[in-house]
């Protein structure tokens, strides 16, 4: 089963066994601009993604509405 | 990665500080740091009444949460801008701000722009023909004016906004690209009160936007995740993306950009021509070229080192 990454309404798939940082680079997402969560818990860039993981990427940039 | 404080699995990694923390220690660290910045920049004391500008977004709600946790007297101000954008943007952000306040028993003042001035922001913008077809200029103008007005009318000494370091760095970047000296000389964590207006402070100005998102997530704060429909493609978002690309390859670049600017401005180094004679240059005893050290110049020291190593 592939690993699924979701950012806003876009979905990406990568192979399991990859490090999160490499997965982000692969799908063209700037690591500094997102926080990754799995089952609601934040995970770090050195996390190895496993079979069937669903990673929700939370965009951190907003337009300055504070 | 492990938490620096307890060795458990880390949830947040701040490469610019070489610091990884677990959720629990991160939730302690953020208010501690905020308190440090409040004191460092002399923002306010526990005796002062603070009005927090609350948009329903992560930064302003996180700010209100932190000030409340630290025991400051902080009330909220929500401005109903009347922006729908097909997603009920203003409606939803107001709901979340109100929910946040109710759950903590905090006081939220709500001002509806349409009720006060007859039209919502997009219409005020259209009718006044300001801002090149986008309501953001009018929105900023109205927000500044209304925050000042409410703070004065209700007797708040301090107006706090949730600007984070990315907000500040993006503005600084824009002002630097244009060398807007008058804006550069005004930008900072504190704008002192003047002409009866409240002091303006930005207690989160040294946290990355990413850190505030992590804080809101870790605290379980429900915030408006949708972007303001008018912010799409805005200059500030573009600058933030550029700066994040830089940050990814050079951790700490954003922080340094902002902090060195504050230091230079405080020293009065900005836009003042350096007095060349003050630089105290000497002639290098070896080659005669000017150097700021009393000894050999950097070039001669480098060559000397290379010769010393080669001779071994
Ligand atoms: Zn810990
Ligand atoms: Zn006026």
């Amino acid at each position: 089963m592939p690993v699924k990454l979701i950012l806003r309404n876009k979905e990406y798939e990568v192979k399991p066994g990859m490090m999160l940082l490499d997965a982000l680079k692969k799908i063209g997402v700037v690591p500094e601009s997102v926080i990754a969560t799995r089952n609601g818990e934040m995970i770090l860039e050195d996390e190895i993604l496993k079979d069937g993981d669903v990673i929700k990427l939370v965009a951190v940039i907003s337009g300055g509405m504070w | 990665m492990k938490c620096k404080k307890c060795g458990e699995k880390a949830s947040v990694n701040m490469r610019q500080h070489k610091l990884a923390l677990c959720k629990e220690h991160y939730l302690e660290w953020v208010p501690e740091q905020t308190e440090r910045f409040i004191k460092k920049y002399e923002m306010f004391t526990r005796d002062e009444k603070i009005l927090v500008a609350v948009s329903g977004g992560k930064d302003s709600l996180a700010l209100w949460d932190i000030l409340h946790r630290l025991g400051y007297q902080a009330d909220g101000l929500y401005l109903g801008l009347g922006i729908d954008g097909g997603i009920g943007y203003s409606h939803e952000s107001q709901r979340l701000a109100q929910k946040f306040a109710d759950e903590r028993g905090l006081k939220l003042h709500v001002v509806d722009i349409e009720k006060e001035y007859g039209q919502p922001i997009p219409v005020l913008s259209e009718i006044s023909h300001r801002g090149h077809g986008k309501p953001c200029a009018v929105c900023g103008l109205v927000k500044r004016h209304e925050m000042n007005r409410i703070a004065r009318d209700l007797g708040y000494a301090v107006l706090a906004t949730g600007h984070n370091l990315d907000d500040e760095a993006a503005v600084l970047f824009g002002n630097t690209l244009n060398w807007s000296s008058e804006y550069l000389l005004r930008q900072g964590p504190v704008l002192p009160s003047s002409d009866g207006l409240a002091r303006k402070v930005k207690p989160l100005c040294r946290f990355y936007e990413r850190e505030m998102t992590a804080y809101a997530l870790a605290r379980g704060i429900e915030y408006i995740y949708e972007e303001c429909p008018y912010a799409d493609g805005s200059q500030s978002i573009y600058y933030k993306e550029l700066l994040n690309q830089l940050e990814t390859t050079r951790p700490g670049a954003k922080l340094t950009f902002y902090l060195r600017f504050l230091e230079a401005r405080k020293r009065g180094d900005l836009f003042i021509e350096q007095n060349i004679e003050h630089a105290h240059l000497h002639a290098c005893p070896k080659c005669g070229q000017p150097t700021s050290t009393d000894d050999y110049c950097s070039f001669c020291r480098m060559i000397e080192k290379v010769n010393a190593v080669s001779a071994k």
Side-chain angles (χ1 to χ4, degrees), chain A residues 3-5 18-21 23-24 31 34-50 53-57, chain B residues 1 9-13 210 214 217:
Chain A
V3 175
K4 200 183 275 183
L5 296 115
M18 249 185 166
M19 225 206 283
L20 173 63
L21 182 63
L24 293 176
V34 293
I35 285 179
T37 63
R38 185 174 57 201
N39 304 322
E41 291 297 322
M42 295 186 274
I43 55 168
L44 296 185
E45 291 167 2
D46 60 351
E47 188 84 17
I48 305 292
L49 304 179
K50 299 187 300 280
D53 270 354
V54 176
I55 309 297
K56 217 184 127 210
L57 301 174
Chain B
M1 244 172 280
K9 190 174 179 176
S11 289
V12 183
N13 181 30
R210 195 166 192 271
L217 291 176

Side-chain angles (χ1 to χ4, degrees), chain B residues 3 5 9 31-33 71-72 75 148 176 181 223 226 273:
Chain B
C3 171
K5 297 206 172 162
K9 190 174 179 176
E32 278 166 20
Q33 293 297 304
Y72 286 100
D75 296 339
N148 285 332
T176 306
S181 49
Y223 64 90
E226 305 309 322
E273 201 161 339

Side-chain angles (χ1 to χ4, degrees), chain B residues 153-204:
Chain B
D153 289 358
L154 301 180
Y156 287 92
V158 186
L159 193 55
T161 54
H163 291 90
N164 57 48
L165 189 136
D166 293 53
D167 293 320
E168 295 301 289
V171 169
L172 176 59
F173 188 61
N175 288 338
T176 306
L177 285 179
N178 295 313
W179 291 116
S180 312
S181 49
E182 67 275 40
Y183 287 111
L184 285 167
L185 289 169
R186 265 208 312 255
Q187 193 186 348
V190 177
L191 192 64
S193 65
S194 67
D195 307 317
L197 297 183
R199 181 185 332 135
K200 287 185 185 137
V201 299
K202 301 166 184 170
L204 305 182

